Amino acid sequence: MRLLIAYALSAVLFICNDATAFSTQSLSNKHARQPTTQLMMTQHISRRRLMISTISSISASAGLSQSALAAPPLSAEEADNFQARLERGLRSKPARVLRQRMNIDFAVLLMRSSYNAVDELDIVAMDQFQKDFFLIRQAEYQYYSDSIGAGAMQQGDLADPNYFDFISFAQYATISREIVNPPAVFEEQQPVEVGEGQPQKFDAVVVRRDPAIKNSDLPRIHTEIVGNAILDKLIEKFGETASAIPTIEPGSRPDAVTFLAAIKQMVNLFTLSGFAWEGGASMVQGSSIKDTQFSIIFTSPATLWSGQSLAAKKAVVTNDFALKTVKAMATRAGYKVVNDSVKYKGNQEITTFSVV
């Protein structure tokens, strides 16, 4: 039990430097508020807590066991085996470029929305996710730290773009591992509220994912949840200011110029939040919006190394946060993003896409 607590605490250290500065709204009405606890990465009770009384009795009668239902946990040996070391050796080294510090609220938003989406999808026991995340970070950290150079990064400081680049890679490497053909039923250890000064206790809860969701749809849904969370927060924070993203009526399918204006302001807010040294959006206009190609270019983004490294390992989901947000904007406007691509050239992240 002490080991589990240690893993969980390690998994949240990077996000607790300014815990009072930021709090994401729940991604689902099924999540309720709960008192703060060191063992929870978010400030919400997962809807899984509501299943304890019913699902636990079902699992007992059905004879379900954790070993039979859970996805294989990562081991320290697997996280640092020959294949993992070979992959690290083939990876591009982190670029030593000038990057501005990130706004801590925005950095937490990107990390927390990605974590919350995993919890929302019921793809893995969250205690296992925290342990796997810890082991991947542990295995990867020294290599990354040595590559970027002594003193170039402040460990645990999410606002440091060099550290954010690393921790975002570790998070999405973990998510990509868990999201591929996950079990529909698994057992999760969930913390129980105890009195002050009392040892933490856990309940074993059997979780069943919505059978209507296909495994092949999980990466897309994760992208949708994260993109909507980012867009909602940008609207909430800047909606009543001169920096607001131009309003597009739901389902209105605006013309290319109108849609580009919204994208440009979204990119401006990413840049204002310290995500990149500079950013811009443009388009090559066709005869209609369907024939128009949009582009977003960030210079020295906080995901410069991690984005390339995740692409190189063919991760199922990546930390393409701007593209995720654009997809949310497009869906609300009545469009769908197609032919999307994220590539890297020098210190630039170049995202291209069309809408239909």
Side-chain angles (χ1 to χ4, degrees):
M1 187 62 71
R2 290 180 181 177
L3 180 59
L4 174 61
I5 294 173
Y7 279 132
L9 285 172
S10 298
V12 301
L13 277 176
F14 70 89
I15 210 166
C16 292
N17 291 333
D18 194 0
T20 59
F22 178 84
S23 173
T24 345
Q25 294 297 317
S26 174
L27 297 177
S28 167
N29 289 333
K30 297 178 182 178
H31 286 68
R33 303 293 292 182
Q34 73 169 15
T36 301
T37 164
Q38 288 180 302
L39 291 172
M40 300 299 288
M41 181 170 291
T42 67
Q43 296 178 334
H44 313 297
I45 294 179
S46 167
R47 66 194 182 288
R48 299 171 186 172
R49 295 285 301 276
L50 303 179
M51 302 168 67
I52 292 176
S53 58
T54 56
I55 297 296
S56 293
S57 60
I58 293 173
S59 65
S61 61
L64 300 177
S65 68
Q66 182 174 9
S67 60
L69 297 174
L74 183 68
S75 66
E77 291 75 18
E78 182 183 351
D80 198 30
N81 62 17
F82 174 78
Q83 182 178 349
R85 294 183 183 186
L86 178 62
E87 180 186 304
R88 283 181 215 126
L90 296 175
R91 244 183 246 150
S92 298
K93 302 289 185 182
R96 300 185 182 185
V97 295
L98 184 62
R99 297 193 279 192
Q100 62 175 323
R101 283 182 62 81
M102 296 180 70
N103 175 277
I104 186 63
D105 291 4
F106 191 69
V108 172
L109 168 63
L110 301 184
M111 294 295 297
R112 185 169 286 164
S113 60
S114 301
Y115 176 91
N116 284 354
V118 173
D119 190 17
E120 180 77 10
L121 285 173
D122 290 334
I123 59 175
V124 65
M126 297 312 290
D127 56 301
Q128 179 184 318
F129 179 86
Q130 291 170 351
K131 289 187 286 186
D132 291 351
F133 184 22
F134 170 84
L135 290 172
I136 288 176
R137 290 184 3 250
Q138 178 179 255
E140 296 284 350
Y141 182 79
Q142 196 60 52
Y143 173 83
Y144 179 83
S145 180
D146 290 346
S147 297
I148 205 166
M153 172 180 66
Q154 181 62 47
Q155 184 177 9
D157 181 5
L158 266 189
D160 179 346
N162 289 331
Y163 182 72
F164 182 90
D165 213 354
F166 164 74
I167 203 68
S168 183
F169 166 79
Q171 184 185 47
Y172 270 83
T174 309
I175 295 171
S176 291
R177 180 184 187 275
E178 315 291 14
I179 207 169
V180 176
N181 295 321
V185 184
F186 54 86
E187 190 172 279
E188 179 175 87
Q189 297 292 323
Q190 296 181 359
V192 177
E193 293 177 20
V194 296
E196 186 175 353
Q198 297 297 312
Q200 182 65 60
K201 296 181 180 180
F202 295 83
D203 273 343
V205 180
V206 172
V207 180
R208 297 175 184 272
R209 188 169 64 254
D210 184 351
I213 300 177
K214 299 178 181 178
N215 282 353
S216 58
D217 291 333
L218 291 171
R220 173 184 58 80
I221 299 173
H222 184 275
T223 289
E224 290 174 357
I225 295 173
V226 176
N228 278 303
I230 296 171
L231 182 56
D232 286 343
K233 181 54 67 173
L234 292 178
I235 293 172
E236 176 189 322
K237 185 172 183 178
F238 298 101
E240 301 299 324
T241 73
S243 299
I245 297 172
T247 301
I248 296 177
E249 292 300 319
S252 61
R253 297 178 67 85
D255 59 31
V257 173
T258 302
F259 190 52
L260 177 63
I263 296 171
K264 282 185 173 181
Q265 189 54 27
M266 183 213 79
V267 171
N268 288 342
L269 295 181
F270 267 64
T271 306
L272 179 67
S273 299
F275 179 76
W277 189 257
E278 62 181 13
S282 61
M283 66 180 180
V284 177
Q285 194 163 8
S287 57
S288 69
I289 191 170
K290 294 181 180 180
D291 301 315
T292 299
Q293 184 181 65
F294 297 90
S295 298
I296 296 174
I297 299 178
F298 286 115
T299 301
S300 300
T303 53
L304 181 62
W305 172 81
S306 53
Q308 295 178 77
S309 298
L310 289 166
K313 74 191 275 76
K314 302 187 185 304
V316 178
V317 289
T318 61
N319 55 355
D320 50 357
F321 297 114
L323 181 57
K324 286 173 170 36
T325 310
V326 163
K327 287 182 176 181
M329 292 175 59
T331 299
R332 297 182 189 189
Y335 289 118
K336 177 183 177 181
V337 169
V338 296
N339 302 323
D340 53 282
S341 170
V342 180
K343 296 181 179 179
Y344 297 86
K345 183 177 181 181
N347 67 331
Q348 290 186 326
E349 178 187 89
I350 303 169
T351 301
T352 58
F353 59 93
S354 300
V355 298
V356 294

